[in-house]
Amino acid sequence: VRHLRVFGIMKGIISTRGDWDTGSSTRNHGVEIPGGIFTDTADCERLIRIMLQLPTLRDFTWGLREQIPSKVLRILHESSPLIRLHMPLFCLKSLIVSPNDPIRIDPHELELATSPCLHSLGQIDMQDAQRQGLVDYNASAVFEVVAGAAPNLREVDICINPVGPPSGGEWLSGTIWKDASRSASHLEHLSVSTSHHLARSTALLDADRMGSLEKLRSMMNFSLLRTLRIGDMLSASHVRWLTEECQFPSLDSLGLDLWDVYNAHEMEIRLNNFLLSLPPLRSLTLRGRYFPSTLPLVLGNSGRTLRRLYLSMPGQYEVGGANSDPDLWAFADAELIRTIQRKAPSIEYLALCIQRSSGDAKEVAIYRELGKLTSLRHLYLSVFHSMDYLWMGLYGEQYQLASESFMAESVDLVISLAVDEALVKSIFDTISSAKSPHAAPLQILEYRVDALEAECGFCSDHYWIKLLAYVARSFDCTRNLRDDSTQQCSIEEYQEGWYDDRSRLEKDDAFHKWVDEYCMPVLQKVWPGVEGRDWMKKWHSFPLSA
């Protein structure tokens, strides 16, 4: 056992430090222990006994909100070689105080913040502190920890406010580390965001969005970074700052959250210039807006080294539609995937956005081309539909859905978004069967119908969206590991919590009255013979074109 993880009820919704995409994951050599209340001496002693029985232990994750016990920290400090400590919920509790109280850090927490064992940390978002009238100084402390107070810190995932707490006393530099004015950071992996802590006007929010990164740049050496993830919604001016004011000669993994939907042309130029300034990347994640010109550029610069390419598209797709050129939105087609085949033959993880088109030959061609990616093992498809069809009936008279003018569009939309287990299994089979005999088998397919996300699915105010959400389902497919069934898969629905929403919708008399009055002709065109509420039991997807 090389990695011991202790988690509480937060497990599953927090990131696990120590498993960065560095090519040397310890995931297959770990053991997880369910968390308890470790203020109990007996529980703490039991944990220590387990640790002492693991002579090959090299990594220890403390994933509980309560502070790591001093006895456990002492065991880590006495290990040889030093066991690496990962704290995804890092928080110095003594730095959350009343506004009038002085700042005094607990000796045990000071020892933790400066520990030579501390290898990675993720910061808790302590928004409850402000609601309780308390002041949280953890953001200021984390800057000093990152700057070098923890000498062996290599991985950081933080969401902090660069301007400090809104009230309370002034943070004195050197509280954590006496040499805070001098950077001794050796950080290699940095994930940073600030927007969750800022609740001011849009102008100030945009101005402060990069504040944490700018402050960190003055406290650490960016040239050592191998991984950079920026979770804030970046504008074109932010990307320009990254290009002109920073240098990343060691970077091989990049993640950006792009935002500037109203300044698309400048963003395209700035983003492409920034990507060209980087060394060849092994991993690239772009969330938000990216452009048709971006991917060819990335493939030209990093194609031979790329192992992971994640291109997703959140709600800005719909929100920005009326304010931007829809031709700038990048959806994958068969030709784009052929380009990936030629220029990035080693891609193992790929996430793309596609538009469903009722399973026609054009859509099937996309799946078959994906199967020709010889190294591809993990595929994430974010599924959309043409905007012109998606919002029919929301902003006009509802009877238009079934009118002569809009019937065809409404039917096409329902057929495209009706996704069930049989369809996703067929898509998995189509991709897998296109694999050559010596290609890496497709291990995982994550099929996500994201077309309704901007309107909140079942939480929408529009019955039309709720109806579509009822049939637009997402699934996870995992390859059968039996060597005589390599192209078969097990399949599970994603977000099982929707079951409750569906149950409530099935009992909603007002919804069914609306369906009967405005939408039943559409449903009867899609699934002939349905009447009343029985479409909810008789609906199904439609097979892919042969």
Side-chain angles (χ1 to χ4, degrees):
V1 174
R2 298 182 182 181
H3 195 157
L4 177 63
R5 299 177 176 91
V6 181
F7 284 103
I9 60 172
M10 296 295 291
K11 184 180 183 299
I13 61 173
I14 61 173
S15 58
T16 303
R17 301 297 90 214
D19 286 331
W20 285 75
D21 185 23
T22 59
S24 59
S25 170
T26 57
R27 184 178 302 277
N28 292 328
H29 304 282
V31 167
E32 297 179 0
I33 295 177
I37 304 299
F38 279 87
T39 51
D40 186 307
T41 303
D43 284 341
C44 183
E45 294 295 336
R46 186 173 57 196
L47 174 61
I48 290 173
R49 285 198 299 272
I50 293 173
M51 295 174 66
L52 294 175
Q53 293 172 14
L54 303 176
T56 60
L57 190 64
R58 294 295 176 265
D59 293 271
F60 178 79
T61 293
W62 182 259
L64 296 175
R65 281 183 173 268
E66 64 182 288
Q67 198 57 275
I68 183 171
S70 58
K71 290 183 178 180
V72 174
L73 187 61
R74 190 176 308 122
I75 290 292
L76 300 178
H77 286 168
E78 293 173 354
S79 62
S80 179
L82 285 175
I83 296 172
R84 300 187 301 184
L85 173 61
H86 309 282
M87 298 199 65
L89 298 175
F90 182 84
C91 181
L92 304 177
K93 306 295 179 63
S94 59
L95 295 183
I96 302 175
V97 299
S98 297
N100 298 325
D101 288 349
I103 304 173
R104 293 194 183 98
I105 185 168
D106 177 82
H108 168 54
E109 292 194 326
L110 179 61
E111 183 182 19
L112 171 62
T114 58
S115 171
C117 293
L118 188 58
H119 186 84
S120 70
L121 66 85
Q123 190 191 21
I124 300 178
D125 185 359
M126 296 295 290
Q127 294 181 353
D128 287 341
Q130 185 174 352
R131 287 193 289 267
Q132 295 171 10
L134 302 175
V135 181
D136 183 3
Y137 291 97
N138 269 274
S140 300
V142 164
F143 280 121
E144 294 192 14
V145 173
V146 170
N152 295 317
L153 186 66
R154 296 293 184 270
E155 305 170 6
V156 167
D157 185 352
I158 50 179
C159 178
I160 51 182
N161 183 351
V163 298
S167 61
E170 181 180 357
W171 176 266
L172 297 178
S173 179
T175 300
I176 299 294
W177 188 39
K178 300 306 179 185
D179 294 326
S181 60
R182 175 180 63 86
S183 174
S185 172
H186 299 283
L187 209 65
E188 296 179 354
H189 307 281
L190 173 63
S191 177
V192 60
S193 61
T194 62
S195 57
H196 296 298
H197 286 265
L198 301 174
R200 291 171 283 167
S201 69
T202 303
L204 287 174
L205 178 62
D206 189 52
D208 288 341
R209 212 173 258 135
M210 292 289 286
S212 290
L213 200 61
E214 292 174 1
K215 186 170 181 178
L216 286 168
R217 190 191 59 153
S218 68
M219 306 179 75
M220 58 177 286
N221 186 358
F222 274 10
S223 66
L224 298 177
L225 284 180
R226 292 170 49 205
T227 300
L228 175 64
R229 299 173 185 165
I230 305 177
D232 293 306
M233 298 181 292
L234 301 182
S235 66
S237 61
H238 298 145
V239 180
R240 179 179 179 180
W241 179 83
L242 288 169
T243 307
E244 298 178 355
E245 302 296 330
C246 306
Q247 292 184 337
F248 303 98
S250 304
L251 201 69
D252 69 3
S253 181
L254 175 67
L256 299 178
D257 190 346
L258 308 173
W259 170 71
D260 212 337
V261 298
Y262 303 106
N263 198 13
H265 295 285
E266 182 183 358
M267 173 61 98
E268 183 173 15
I269 294 170
R270 300 300 182 195
L271 175 62
N272 290 350
N273 286 343
F274 175 56
L275 294 174
L276 280 174
S277 73
L278 301 175
L281 299 174
R282 187 176 53 83
S283 175
L284 175 64
T285 298
L286 297 179
R287 292 185 174 87
R289 159 160 272 171
Y290 58 95
F291 306 93
S293 63
T294 300
L295 187 53
L297 180 149
V298 168
L299 295 175
N301 192 47
S302 302
R304 292 296 165 183
T305 58
L306 269 180
R307 299 295 185 272
R308 178 186 176 97
L309 181 61
Y310 189 106
L311 302 176
S312 68
M313 188 179 300
Q316 288 99 319
Y317 164 61
E318 293 88 356
V319 175
N323 303 291
S324 58
D325 183 353
D327 292 336
L328 292 174
W329 295 106
F331 287 98
D333 57 19
E335 182 56 39
L336 182 144
I337 297 167
R338 281 191 285 269
T339 302
I340 296 176
Q341 293 169 14
R342 293 193 304 270
K343 298 198 172 180
S346 299
I347 285 284
E348 298 175 1
Y349 179 102
L350 181 62
L352 293 173
C353 298
I354 65 170
Q355 284 188 315
R356 282 221 70 205
S357 49
S358 304
D360 62 9
K362 182 179 177 181
E363 181 183 339
V364 173
I366 293 175
Y367 302 137
R368 288 178 175 160
E369 292 300 328
L370 286 168
K372 296 176 183 178
L373 294 170
T374 56
S375 300
L376 184 64
R377 297 176 180 273
H378 192 146
L379 178 61
Y380 183 108
L381 292 179
S382 186
V383 182
F384 292 83
H385 194 273
S386 171
M387 280 193 301
D388 291 339
Y389 300 142
L390 188 56
W391 308 125
M392 290 300 175
L394 292 191
Y395 306 113
E397 293 295 331
Q398 292 173 332
Y399 65 80
Q400 290 180 339
L401 289 170
S403 70
E404 184 177 347
S405 300
F406 299 110
M407 173 65 85
E409 286 84 354
S410 300
V411 168
D412 180 83
L413 177 58
V414 174
I415 291 175
S416 293
L417 295 188
V419 174
D420 59 11
E421 182 176 319
L423 176 63
V424 178
K425 186 178 184 304
S426 173
I427 293 170
F428 184 93
D429 292 342
T430 300
I431 298 171
S432 295
S433 62
K435 288 271 190 178
S436 64
H438 301 291
L442 182 64
Q443 301 284 358
I444 296 174
L445 169 63
E446 297 177 81
Y447 199 83
R448 301 286 184 266
V449 182
D450 291 331
L452 306 173
E453 288 298 306
E455 289 294 323
C456 304
F458 287 107
C459 298
S460 171
D461 293 330
H462 301 286
Y463 285 139
W464 178 227
I465 296 297
K466 291 183 177 182
L467 184 151
L468 294 172
Y470 190 86
V471 299
R473 306 187 182 188
S474 299
F475 293 89
D476 291 330
C477 288
T478 304
R479 184 177 74 93
N480 189 324
L481 296 180
R482 288 174 59 98
D483 57 9
D484 59 349
S485 307
T486 56
Q487 293 183 1
Q488 295 182 10
C489 68
S490 60
I491 185 166
E492 292 183 358
E493 185 174 358
Y494 176 71
Q495 284 188 328
E496 294 182 353
W498 288 132
Y499 293 157
D500 292 337
D501 295 291
R502 291 179 196 142
S503 179
R504 282 190 290 269
L505 194 65
E506 290 166 359
K507 300 172 184 177
D508 188 336
D509 293 335
F511 168 75
H512 289 290
K513 180 179 179 181
W514 175 87
V515 171
D516 290 339
E517 186 171 354
Y518 294 111
C519 202
M520 187 54 66
V522 175
L523 299 182
Q524 290 174 337
K525 192 82 171 179
V526 176
W527 300 291
V530 297
E531 293 182 355
R533 305 186 183 193
D534 67 355
W535 67 270
M536 287 184 152
K537 298 185 182 300
K538 294 181 179 180
W539 79 275
H540 56 79
S541 65
F542 291 84
L544 299 175
S545 170

